[in-house]
Amino acid sequence: MADASASMTLATLSLIGFALLAGFYLTTLNVLWTLVSVTVTAVLVSQLLRKLRRRDALAERRVCVLVLGDIGRSPRMQYHALSLSKQGYSVTFVGFPGTKPHQDVIGDERITIIPITEVKGLQVGPRMVSYVTKVILQSLQLLLVLLKTDVQSHILMQNPPGLPSIMVTWLVCGLRGSRFIIDWHNYGYTIMALSHGPDHPIVRLAQWYEQLFGRFSSHNLCVSNAMKEDLQNNWNISGERPGGETERTAFTARDPSDLSVTLTSGRPALLISSTSWTEDEDFSILLKALEDYEGFVKAGASLPSLVCVITGKGPQKDHYRKLIDALSFEHVKICTPWLEAEDYPVLLGSADLGVCLHKSSSGLDLPMKVVDMFGCCLPVCAIHFYCLHELVKHEENGLIFKDSEELSGQLKSLLWDFPGCEYEGKLGQFRRNLRASGGQRWDQNWDQNVLPLLTAP
């Protein structure tokens, strides 16, 4: 439907151009032809506007997000698109391809990415000619792309770059009856001044252009209060700095104004264990220790709430899942997800403490889960068996326990006054020791120990 509408639009524009040219020629003949050409042009223009502004029932739930740059390197505009989608809007995301956008953007059914190519001007002749031709060609391309889309209620455009996108977006919004929002990240002319100097004619032209067409927007968003004040004081443009409530999870908070992410002061501690849910790992020990921990918190101990993540698949998972479901905790949450290989190290790197319940059937093997945790500088509490000391150094990179009572006492001592203990106390010291030890990477170790076996005569 959008393509057909665009074709009709181009045809109408061509007729208008023809009518204007014919009118210019015929006005040299007499007044009658002048009136005819003016009337035909007016009728064609009115028909064009009617076609361009034709809306369906969904028009008010569609928004175009526009950045004349690499979409993948425009995190703020990606967040705009995701926020719009969460509110039920259909989003047309227009910009240059290049860096892969966030997976949430790619996988969102309400977000349609329309790639446009960066146009280059003439590669011969003066630099100014190349720049002017680039602006003209980019303007035409952007105009055609925006006219091919369905009518939207709003077009939200990032600035910079604003040349030529501000003027083209304003024109399209005027033709289609859409509202125009500019998200001011910076001034384009100040970026150009870094290369050409503030007094270069093209910089002054860009400043005039940005100031003039910036005033035609319906609303203006500003990345900072300083930008908001500068727009108001120097260009008489009223802007808003997006605020509202900070986005929060149980562990982090994201400031919507600058998209910075910080750990929250009252967050729970994140405990992780992984298992194949087999008989050589007795998870009743951990569950009993968590019961004791719940009792510590209820008694008023200076301990955080606890989120315990137990990853893995195996034959005894359903058995332990029933035991977990029967528990009634207020300060401890337990979840048992299955993670893809690429997600597991991310979780390890985000955790505060690891727990290993692997008890070797022979007493001679070492748990790879602890190797993985140490690789992410995650301290570990591990249940004792014969050769565990080769990997876990008690009171150096972790703690070794023998039963649930000992484990609950270790959780209490390590997490006391959390999150301060992350930097002070044993937990912080264990992390520093793990970073300092800097064990060999897999490739180095493999090359030294395995490769010689393959190359030996």
Side-chain angles (χ1 to χ4, degrees):
M1 181 185 294
D3 289 341
S5 177
S7 300
M8 291 296 295
T9 298
L10 291 175
T12 307
L13 284 171
S14 300
L15 288 173
I16 291 174
F18 176 78
L20 289 172
L21 288 173
F24 178 78
Y25 171 75
L26 294 172
T27 50
T28 60
L29 300 179
N30 56 46
V31 176
L32 176 61
W33 283 113
T34 301
L35 292 174
V36 170
S37 64
V38 169
T39 302
V40 171
T41 302
V43 170
L44 290 173
V45 168
S46 65
Q47 288 182 343
L48 174 63
L49 291 175
R50 192 177 295 112
K51 292 179 186 298
L52 289 173
R53 296 189 174 209
R54 185 174 298 157
R55 294 169 176 264
D56 56 29
L58 300 177
E60 287 301 316
R61 304 301 297 173
R62 289 195 292 259
V63 175
C64 175
V65 175
L66 169 64
V67 51
L68 209 61
D70 187 340
I71 288 178
R73 297 178 64 183
S74 304
R76 185 174 164 97
M77 304 311 287
Q78 293 185 63
Y79 284 129
H80 277 310
L82 289 170
S83 296
L84 286 163
S85 174
K86 288 177 183 177
Q87 295 301 318
Y89 287 90
S90 296
V91 181
T92 301
F93 202 162
V94 180
F96 296 158
T99 308
K100 184 180 178 181
H102 194 284
Q103 187 60 43
D104 288 349
V105 174
I106 297 174
D108 196 312
E109 294 181 353
R110 289 195 180 97
I111 300 176
T112 302
I113 296 177
I114 298 182
I116 55 175
T117 56
E118 184 174 6
V119 176
K120 295 183 178 180
L122 292 175
Q123 301 301 301
V124 294
R127 187 175 180 181
M128 181 65 73
V129 173
S130 175
Y131 188 78
V132 170
T133 55
K134 175 182 177 179
V135 169
I136 293 173
L137 293 173
Q138 194 79 71
S139 299
L140 292 174
Q141 182 201 37
L142 183 57
L143 178 64
L144 291 174
V145 168
L146 293 179
L147 289 177
K148 285 177 67 176
T149 63
D150 292 319
V151 176
Q152 299 104 0
S153 62
H154 296 79
I155 299 181
L156 172 57
M157 190 209 83
Q158 174 186 300
N159 183 73
L163 188 66
S165 52
I166 296 181
M167 182 184 67
V168 174
T169 305
W170 165 72
L171 176 61
V172 171
C173 285
L175 291 173
R176 311 193 82 173
S178 303
R179 292 177 286 283
F180 181 22
I181 303 175
I182 300 178
D183 191 2
W184 296 84
H185 294 203
N186 198 351
Y187 294 124
Y189 79 90
T190 60
I191 297 176
M192 295 175 66
L194 297 176
S195 302
H196 303 287
D199 296 324
H200 193 283
I202 197 170
V203 174
R204 291 186 174 183
L205 178 63
Q207 181 179 4
W208 169 85
Y209 164 90
E210 212 165 359
Q211 181 177 1
L212 173 65
F213 287 99
R215 292 174 177 170
F216 295 158
S217 59
S218 305
H219 301 285
N220 297 277
L221 303 176
C222 304
V223 74
S224 66
N225 286 323
M227 172 67 76
K228 174 184 175 181
E229 293 171 4
D230 194 82
L231 277 172
Q232 180 64 59
N233 295 336
N234 295 322
W235 288 1
N236 197 29
I237 296 176
S238 297
E240 300 174 15
R241 182 171 181 245
E245 296 185 0
T246 301
E247 298 178 38
R248 295 181 182 275
T249 69
F251 301 94
T252 60
R254 185 177 72 190
D255 188 334
S257 62
D258 59 9
L259 305 181
S260 61
V261 177
T262 56
L263 293 169
T264 55
S265 58
R267 70 185 183 279
L270 180 58
L271 184 74
I272 181 165
S273 184
S274 62
T275 179
S276 55
W277 297 108
T278 52
E279 294 178 353
D280 60 355
E281 293 179 307
D282 184 0
F283 266 83
S284 64
I285 295 174
L286 176 58
L287 298 184
K288 180 60 173 68
L290 293 178
E291 285 189 77
D292 293 343
Y293 186 91
E294 173 82 6
F296 297 151
V297 179
K298 287 184 175 180
S302 182
L303 294 168
S305 296
L306 198 60
V307 174
C308 179
V309 181
I310 307 173
T311 70
K313 291 181 179 179
Q316 292 193 330
K317 184 172 183 176
D318 289 341
H319 166 71
Y320 281 108
R321 186 67 255 180
K322 291 176 182 178
L323 296 179
I324 291 170
D325 292 340
L327 296 172
S328 179
F329 289 152
E330 293 180 22
H331 305 284
V332 178
K333 303 295 182 184
I334 304 174
C335 57
T336 56
W338 165 253
L339 297 177
E340 297 297 334
E342 61 269 23
D343 295 326
Y344 180 58
V346 176
L347 180 61
L348 293 182
S350 304
D352 299 297
L353 181 64
V355 171
C356 174
L357 291 163
H358 174 80
K359 235 179 178 180
S360 170
S361 58
S362 66
L364 302 175
D365 67 323
L366 293 174
M368 279 300 298
K369 67 191 71 181
V370 175
V371 176
D372 292 335
M373 291 174 182
F374 283 173
C376 295
C377 294
L378 178 64
V380 172
C381 293
I383 194 164
H384 174 268
F385 64 88
Y386 175 67
C387 66
L388 183 64
H389 65 278
E390 295 184 24
L391 182 60
V392 180
K393 312 295 183 183
H394 188 65
E395 295 286 357
E396 181 178 328
N397 55 17
L399 297 175
I400 297 174
F401 62 89
K402 294 182 178 179
D403 53 34
S404 61
E405 183 178 357
E406 197 169 5
L407 174 57
S408 63
Q410 292 175 357
L411 295 179
K412 182 179 180 180
S413 65
L414 290 174
L415 298 176
W416 191 269
D417 282 336
F418 183 87
C421 61
E422 287 185 292
Y423 313 102
E424 306 296 335
K426 287 185 178 180
L427 200 58
Q429 184 61 51
F430 292 165
R431 283 190 181 276
R432 288 191 290 273
N433 291 342
L434 285 167
R435 292 191 184 99
S437 65
Q440 280 188 325
R441 298 294 182 186
W442 172 273
D443 289 342
Q444 294 173 311
N445 192 285
W446 194 92
D447 289 348
Q448 288 183 14
N449 295 285
V450 180
L451 183 60
L453 301 179
L454 303 177
T455 57

